[in-house]
Each structure stands twice: as C-alpha cells, then as structure tokens.
Amino acid sequence: MSPNPTPNQTWISEWKPEDEAFWNSTGKTVARRNLIWSIVAEHIGFSVWLIWSIVATKLPAAGFHYSTDELFQLVAIPGLIGSLMRFPYTFAVTTFGGRNWTIFSAAVLFIPTFGLAYFVSQPATPFWLMLLVASTAGLGGGNFASSMANISFFYPDRMKGWALGLNAAGGNIGVSSVQLLTPILMGFGIFNLYQASPVSGVYLQNAGLMWVLPILIAIFGAVFFMNNLTTAKSSFKNQIAIVKNKHTWIMAFIYIGTFGSFIGYSAAFPLLIKTQFPAVTIAIAFLGPLVGSLSRPLGGLLADKIGGAILTFWNFIAMGAATIGVLYFVGAKDFTGFLVMFLILFVTTGVGNGSTYRMIPSIFREENLRKAKGTGEAGRALALKTASIESGAAVGFIGAVGACGGYLIPSGFGKSIAMTGGPQLALVIYLGFYAVCLALTWWFYLRKSPVTAGATSLAEARI
C-alpha cells in the first residue's frame, strides 16, 4: 500500500486502524472520506426504502380503492424485504469490496423509483401488483447492512461507536428527508416534465422520480472517492460462524427493540396520524424520524463513554414510559400529547440504536481476547483481526434481523386497527416486547452473578 492511499485507489492492501501512527498519518483521512460517501449512499437507500410511508397516504385520493389494512401492508412490505435483503448485503462487502458493493447497491435503486413512478399513475393496478412494486423499495433497506459492515472495518475499536452512529444517523435521517420533501415535491410537475396530470393537486410520480439525480450522485461518489480494503476480505464460511454465537441472536433480538422500533414507527407514523387524527396534516410526520436519527450518534457517543449495555438498559425503561404515554394520549384523542410522547419514543429508539451497535464490536472483541489469553502478542493480534471480521458480519446480520421491525410494527398497527378500531392493542404488545429486551440486557450484559461465566466477564468489561 502506498503511504497515502488516493481517492481513486480501488483496493488498499494494508489497513491498521489500531496503530496510532498509521491512523494519524493516513487512516483517519481515508476513513473519513469513505464514511462521507457511505453516508450519502445509505441516506438515499433509506429514503427509497421509506417512500411508501408517504405514497400510501395519497393513494385513496388518487383513485386507488385499497382498505386501511392494505395501505398498512404497502407501508410494511418494504420493511420485510429490506430485512431479508440485509442478509446477502452483509456478506457482500467482504466478498466484493465495500466500494464495489456501494456502487451496485446504489444503482439498483433505479428499480423501485421508476417502478413507483409508473404504477402510481395507474389506478386500476390490482393490490397484489402494487404490493409487488412496493416490495422493491426494500432494496434500499439492504444498503444499511453493507454500509455498516464496511465502515466497521475502517475505524479503530475506540471510535467505532461514534463512526457507526454517525454512519447510521446519516442513513436514518433519509427517512425524515423522504417524509419532509416528498409531499412538497409532489406538488411540482418539473420532475416528470409535466407529462402527467396531477391528481388532487399532486404528481404522485415525483415520489420516485425525485431520487434519480441523488442516486446518480451517490454512484459517482462511490466510484471516485471510496476504497475497498483487502484486510476486510473473508470467506463466507468464516463469517457465517457468527450464527453459532449466542450473543449474535441475543443482540439481534434486542436490536429489534431499538432499530426495529425506529424503522417500524417511521414507516407507520404518517398513516397512523392520518387514521387516528384525520384533521392533522401528515407533513408533520418527518419530525419523528428526524429526532430519532439525530439522537443516534448521541447514543453511540454516550455508549463509548459509559458503556453500551448500561445505556441500553436505561433506554429501554425510557422507551416503555414513552409507549405508555402514547397509549394514553391516542386513547384520549389528544394530538399534542400523542406527538410529544411519540417524539420522545423516537429519541429513545435513536439512542438505543447507537448504544446497541456500540455493544456488538465490544462483545466480539472481549470474547476473542479472552480466548487468546496466554498466546502472546501474536495471539492477541490474531484475536483482534478475528473480532473485526466477526463483528463486521454480526453488525450486518443483527441489523438484518432488527430491520424486521419495519414490517412487524406497521403490520401490527394495521391488524390492531382492523380488529379493535384502534392501535392500542399493538402498542401494548410492543410495550411487553421492550420489557423482555430490558430483561435480556440485564441478564447477559450487566448481571455480575458468577452463574454464567460469559455474563460475568462481559459485565466487568463494560461493553
């Protein structure tokens, strides 16, 4: 590797972020450049992923005769597909390279954007076909897994919480971007060159067409300013070994409670407002994902300082309290109280996202170092490299499982409203889930009882 890798250097053959001299002279600049363009691509991916959270609210006025439950399904299905896409996306970085996969994953976003632009102008489209079109937006959800796995290789362990939090926040804020900009830009015919007629004053096609130029910019940035790391190359067999580790599954479950809640509530929020408070404009919905996104790097930063597990534990308590508040105000039909409580809930999902993602590399680092005790400096170096590969795979895998909340929460709201006339039943179930996540966090990562050796060591390590 050259002393100072250039932006157009496709592969970097040597990468030592834990070496302070290397990091200060070379690593920091290269890592920052890759982080910036990773954020750009991931931001657009999230935006495309959540397009239907806004489009679904406009379909009835555009002549589409879908039931409320069917509208929630259109909002939910991208979450399910995005969750499934994260599995192959996780392992793609170590197979094809972070730069190469970013180019590909950005380019395929033309499929959901052009598909949406065509079919929203066809009111006779049957529900099953529209559901298929909406499912392609899940391609945008896969970007998160590959992006997070890629960035985890660029930064030293001491900075992973902040870097991953910033990367995730840059992507997450794409949810608020799409919910803020889409209603505004659907009012202009410039994107489709005035080739279509507006329905109820909006050009629904713009919800897809508005992302064409940003996608092109993301592809350009990845081609000319990102790099692949040869040190991040690993066989699928070596990575898939993480599914045998109990902590992979425990953290995946907990992550459904944090990130799953963020993406699920983000997808459902506009339609939830429209169904429960019809007099209120959905234009305000972007505030939820915005505060959730902005609080994510804060969660990572706090976790770096005080420990991810302790922050996650108290955060679940706050999530439970906010959910109770939402339950009360939605029942009382008090929109101000409902909005305030939901915004607090969004903040806690963001903080929890940052703290749980900080826990993952720490868990694998501690476990591998414990196994390497007594093997000398060479053994320690190998343990750190193994931990980097495993945590990169685990970050993506856990993110994939956690993303299923993007389907479960909107779908749950739809079923709850269909069965009971309101979202309260779904909220009670979500509250119970947070209680289970709270118990798991304490049992495995804070409990100092010697009953389980792993629990003792990880608690003392302040992961």
Side-chain angles (χ1 to χ4, degrees):
M1 182 189 74
S2 61
N4 295 294
T6 58
N8 59 358
Q9 185 175 335
T10 304
W11 287 93
I12 297 176
S13 59
E14 187 178 355
W15 190 254
K16 300 179 291 183
E18 301 295 345
D19 182 330
E20 285 199 30
F22 169 84
W23 178 253
N24 290 327
S25 65
T26 302
K28 182 164 53 176
T29 302
V30 176
R32 185 188 303 122
R33 188 180 67 240
N34 279 270
L35 175 61
I36 289 170
W37 285 102
S38 174
I39 288 174
V40 171
E42 191 193 341
H43 178 92
I44 296 166
F46 261 89
S47 298
V48 172
W49 194 17
L50 271 292
I51 286 178
W52 287 88
S53 67
I54 291 297
V55 172
T57 67
K58 304 292 185 181
L59 292 179
F64 291 85
H65 302 294
Y66 301 147
S67 69
T68 297
D69 188 32
E70 287 175 331
L71 292 175
F72 270 107
Q73 289 301 313
L74 288 174
V75 168
I77 194 65
L80 176 62
I81 302 303
S83 174
L84 295 175
M85 292 303 298
R86 287 185 173 198
F87 289 104
Y89 272 55
T90 293
F91 304 112
V93 168
T94 52
T95 303
F96 303 105
R99 166 190 175 272
N100 295 347
W101 192 254
T102 302
I103 295 168
F104 171 81
S105 61
V108 297
L109 296 180
F110 287 123
I111 297 172
T113 50
F114 282 119
L116 183 150
Y118 175 77
F119 282 99
V120 293
S121 63
Q122 310 295 321
T125 303
F127 174 70
W128 69 266
L129 181 54
M130 193 63 88
L131 194 65
L132 180 62
V133 174
S135 71
T136 63
L139 290 168
N143 288 21
F144 179 84
S146 54
S147 178
M148 294 295 274
N150 183 40
I151 293 304
S152 72
F153 291 113
F154 277 95
Y155 279 83
D157 188 69
R158 68 183 185 279
M159 297 179 67
K160 275 183 171 37
W162 170 247
L164 291 176
L166 199 61
N167 188 56
N172 292 173
I173 209 168
V175 181
S176 54
S177 294
V178 75
Q179 293 182 350
L180 172 64
L181 296 176
T182 305
I184 297 172
L185 297 182
M186 284 194 299
F188 299 94
I190 188 170
F191 292 99
N192 53 46
L193 305 179
Y194 294 92
Q195 296 301 303
S197 300
V199 178
S200 298
V202 299
Y203 293 87
L204 275 177
Q205 301 89 337
N206 288 358
L209 297 176
M210 61 188 279
W211 299 106
V212 172
L213 180 59
I215 291 170
L216 289 172
I217 292 172
I219 294 171
F220 175 87
V223 169
F224 291 102
F225 298 106
M226 292 187 73
N227 311 95
N228 302 307
L229 297 178
T230 56
T231 52
K233 296 282 284 183
S234 178
S235 71
F236 178 76
K237 180 181 177 181
N238 288 343
Q239 294 178 82
I240 202 66
I242 53 107
V243 302
K244 298 178 182 178
N245 190 312
K246 69 177 182 181
H247 294 292
T248 300
W249 295 99
I250 295 165
M251 289 305 300
F253 189 90
I254 290 172
Y255 200 59
I256 295 174
T258 55
F259 177 76
S261 293
F262 169 79
I263 199 64
Y265 289 139
S266 296
F269 201 37
L271 202 51
L272 195 60
I273 292 174
K274 187 174 180 63
T275 56
Q276 301 306 303
F277 302 93
V280 178
T281 173
I282 62 164
I284 203 170
F286 82 95
L287 289 174
L290 178 64
V291 297
S293 301
L294 294 178
S295 63
R296 180 156 188 164
L298 173 64
L301 187 63
L302 288 174
D304 282 339
K305 294 183 179 298
I306 67 175
I310 189 69
L311 181 59
T312 299
F313 177 84
W314 287 105
N315 190 69
F316 274 123
I317 294 176
M319 288 183 75
T323 304
I324 293 172
V326 172
L327 262 168
Y328 173 79
F329 287 110
V330 77
K333 293 298 177 183
D334 181 338
F335 179 72
T336 301
F338 168 84
L339 180 63
V340 170
M341 286 295 106
F342 231 122
L343 290 181
I344 293 173
L345 184 56
F346 268 110
V347 168
T348 60
T349 65
V351 171
N353 286 343
S355 63
T356 49
Y357 250 49
R358 174 62 181 88
M359 291 170 67
I360 298 166
S362 299
I363 290 169
F364 283 91
R365 183 173 186 271
E366 289 301 319
E367 289 220 310
N368 278 281
L369 285 176
R370 191 176 66 219
K371 293 175 186 175
K373 279 185 178 178
T375 59
E377 193 59 37
R380 177 181 170 82
L382 180 61
L384 289 175
K385 182 177 180 180
T386 301
S388 178
I389 295 292
E390 289 183 350
S391 64
V395 158
F397 184 87
I398 291 167
V401 177
C404 71
Y407 173 77
L408 296 173
I409 286 181
S411 182
F413 278 135
K415 300 300 182 192
S416 178
I417 292 171
M419 292 169 57
T420 68
Q424 288 91 333
L425 175 61
L427 286 165
V428 170
I429 293 172
Y430 306 152
L431 181 61
F433 187 84
Y434 298 148
V436 176
C437 290
L438 178 73
L440 286 173
T441 304
W442 174 78
W443 183 266
F444 288 101
Y445 306 117
L446 292 175
R447 184 174 60 100
K448 295 184 179 180
S449 167
V451 175
T452 304
T456 303
S457 63
L458 289 175
E460 291 173 350
R462 290 180 70 251
I463 63 164

